[in-house]
Amino acid sequence: MSVDNPCLSCGACCASFRVSFYWAEADAESGGVVPLEFTEKLNPWRSVMAGTNQPQPRCRALCGDIGGYTTCSIYDQRPSPCREFEAGSEGCLKARAKHGLPLDFPDWRAA
């Protein structure tokens, strides 16, 4: 992740949504890479990132304070919903608004 990446001073998405994914992403025998200790079973087909299936979600892998320096402790092993989530997307802006963070930040990818 680039040093200029706004995600490193945000973390709002990691404390706004339930992160659910197909269980095999956390099953080493099936080729999954998400560390099992960071997941919880949702149903027979889906798992969630631990801490995100709560009324006030916060992913157990999130390190730091929302709006300050943040990082993901399992960034290279994060599940598909996290890999697909984009800075500046509608979901990103919704999460930032929920946490009172500015909605206008530069497009770090354009540089």
Side-chain angles (χ1 to χ4, degrees):
M1 199 179 290
S2 167
V3 174
D4 297 328
N5 188 324
C7 298
L8 292 175
S9 61
C10 184
C13 61
C14 304
S16 296
F17 308 111
R18 180 178 77 189
V19 179
S20 62
F21 50 93
Y22 184 59
W23 66 269
E25 288 190 55
D27 182 59
E29 291 181 19
S30 300
V33 297
V34 179
L36 191 58
E37 62 271 19
F38 284 90
T39 70
E40 297 171 351
K41 183 177 179 177
L42 180 63
N43 61 41
W45 307 276
R46 311 287 291 170
S47 292
V48 296
M49 288 303 294
T52 67
N53 195 25
Q54 305 295 323
Q56 295 183 339
R58 181 181 169 100
C59 183
R60 186 180 301 160
L62 177 63
C63 299
D65 297 317
I66 307 303
Y69 178 76
T70 57
T71 188
C72 174
S73 64
I74 62 163
Y75 186 78
D76 290 335
Q77 298 170 295
R78 68 198 188 281
S80 57
C82 300
R83 293 178 183 279
E84 296 164 3
F85 199 86
E86 292 187 29
S89 67
E90 183 179 337
C92 168
L93 297 178
K94 181 178 176 181
R96 290 178 66 84
K98 176 182 177 180
H99 291 279
L101 299 176
L103 301 182
D104 58 337
F105 55 90
D107 185 357
W108 58 278
R109 297 165 292 184

